[in-house]
Amino acid sequence: ASADLGTTLSAPDAAHSAWYWAEQAPLRGTLKASLPQVGVWSALAPPGWRVRGSLGTDLTLSGTRDKPLLNRKLNADDLALRSLVNGIAFSRGQLRATLAGERITIDRFYLQGLGGAQTGGTLLASGSTEWRTITVDGQPRRQPYISLQATATKLRVSTRADRMLTLSGQLQAELAGTALQLRGQLTADEARFVLPDESTPSLGSDVVVRGTERPLEDPNALRVQPDVLVDLNLGNNFEVRGQGLQTRLTGQLNVRSTPASPAPRVLGEVRTASGTYRAYDQQLNIESGALRFTGPYDDPALDIRAVRKLPANVE
């Protein structure tokens, strides 16, 4: 780190018997700092997450003693974020941001999926965050305001063997106080989900693992009010396997959530393009299938026909 700071002292006068620092004294200075490795931040991340990269900042000081002005540039390079448990792996990241007063402008936030831009895709985002003053019941109140825009291009979101997902599309998020608005259009370029075996062991409902209990919520805490409207196109390569099922899904879904009804609701229809279903030691071909969502995401209406054709000489 290196710094260069300066100001001006005023000579003694009728009101001051010695040199003094006036409120209107100009300020000028610069501060440069770099942190070659930010891997130590992994200690602040959730268990199983790893963070690395380099961080640098360039701060400029101006204005006067009573009204100082700070302008700071924040640069990060070679950012990487990984969670093996969740199948998340991003690398070769870059951040370019500017701090002016209470406003932070994110000029560029960039990440690559596992394997680089050609195989893992990219994420490019920009936006701003600041504190705003509003009037509530005649009293001024400060609240955060965040605006972000992100574009994914064949981004490999998950790389787990049983949960692989690649997405493209745009998302826009805006937070004003407790009001969160999320809009987007996403397409699944490629997906493969393996359903867990029904015989997979699990803990009983009477078993509590220490450290996983949900803390009591503060009744005075402000809750975010979501307003979500996101379209998801399953594309032409969305595969589901497991529990005897192997099929490819197509269709388009609309995910919604409002402050009055914060639970996610899904509207749309998903169809099976081809596939098989194995049950009772029989291999059935799926001739037609549809999952129709009209509200709760976990309660679709099912309309599936699976048959097994017998040889011509079998009666």
Side-chain angles (χ1 to χ4, degrees):
S2 62
D4 180 13
L5 303 175
T7 186
T8 300
L9 297 179
S10 298
D13 54 23
H16 301 85
S17 59
W19 290 83
Y20 65 97
W21 192 15
E23 292 184 352
Q24 301 300 321
L27 299 175
R28 59 187 180 279
T30 59
L31 171 64
K32 296 183 179 181
S34 62
L35 183 62
Q37 295 296 329
V38 297
V40 67
W41 290 0
S42 295
L44 305 177
W49 289 79
R50 295 293 181 267
V51 182
R52 69 172 174 84
S54 62
L55 180 67
T57 182
D58 188 350
L59 183 147
T60 301
L61 175 65
S62 60
T64 60
R65 175 195 164 190
D66 60 336
K67 294 182 179 180
L69 298 177
L70 288 176
N71 288 280
R72 182 171 62 187
K73 292 184 178 181
L74 183 65
N75 300 325
D77 294 288
D78 197 26
L79 293 176
L81 178 67
R82 175 170 294 188
S83 172
L84 296 178
V85 174
N86 296 284
I88 296 175
F90 300 127
S91 62
R92 302 181 184 180
Q94 186 184 73
L95 172 66
R96 296 292 183 266
T98 303
L99 171 63
E102 294 184 333
R103 179 183 176 89
I104 299 176
T105 301
I106 302 174
D107 301 304
R108 175 182 172 86
F109 178 71
Y110 176 81
L111 285 174
Q112 292 184 8
L114 184 65
Q118 296 298 323
T119 59
T122 62
L123 174 68
L124 182 62
S126 62
S128 63
T129 176
E130 62 182 308
W131 285 96
R132 291 182 175 179
T133 301
I134 62 174
T135 301
V136 179
D137 297 331
Q139 299 294 327
R141 177 181 297 179
R142 287 162 57 83
Q143 67 174 20
Y145 176 81
I146 301 174
S147 177
L148 295 174
Q149 302 82 38
T151 299
T153 305
K154 295 185 177 180
L155 179 67
R156 187 167 295 181
V157 179
S158 178
T159 61
R160 277 176 39 166
D162 62 338
R163 190 173 63 202
M164 187 274 291
L165 178 62
T166 301
L167 290 175
S168 293
Q170 293 81 35
L171 281 176
Q172 301 87 35
E174 182 179 277
L175 176 67
T178 60
L180 172 65
Q181 185 182 83
L182 184 64
R183 298 289 185 269
Q185 301 83 33
L186 298 174
T187 298
D189 299 289
E190 185 179 4
R192 183 177 65 249
F193 290 88
V194 180
L195 304 176
D197 192 344
E198 292 181 349
S199 61
T200 302
S202 60
L203 297 176
S205 59
D206 59 336
V207 178
V208 177
V209 180
R210 291 185 179 274
T212 62
E213 301 93 340
R214 296 183 62 184
L216 296 177
E217 295 185 1
D218 184 357
N220 298 321
L222 296 177
R223 297 182 180 180
V224 173
Q225 305 295 320
D227 178 11
V228 179
L229 185 59
V230 177
D231 293 324
L232 175 60
N233 190 326
L234 300 187
N236 299 317
N237 196 10
F238 199 106
E239 186 179 2
V240 177
R241 302 178 184 176
Q243 298 185 12
L245 178 67
Q246 181 173 351
T247 185
R248 185 167 57 86
L249 302 179
T250 62
Q252 186 160 332
L253 299 175
N254 179 266
V255 182
R256 300 182 181 182
S257 178
T258 62
S261 180
R265 293 177 294 125
V266 180
L267 302 176
E269 183 176 279
V270 174
R271 289 191 169 273
T272 58
S274 62
T276 61
Y277 181 67
R278 186 173 184 83
Y280 308 107
D281 285 334
Q282 302 294 325
Q283 187 81 7
L284 307 177
N285 294 321
I286 300 177
E287 288 190 344
S288 63
L291 287 77
R292 297 184 179 92
F293 294 86
T294 58
Y297 67 92
D298 57 352
D299 188 24
L302 304 180
D303 183 6
I304 300 176
R305 176 182 173 84
V307 300
R308 175 176 178 263
K309 295 182 178 181
L310 298 177
N313 58 352
V314 176
E315 295 183 358

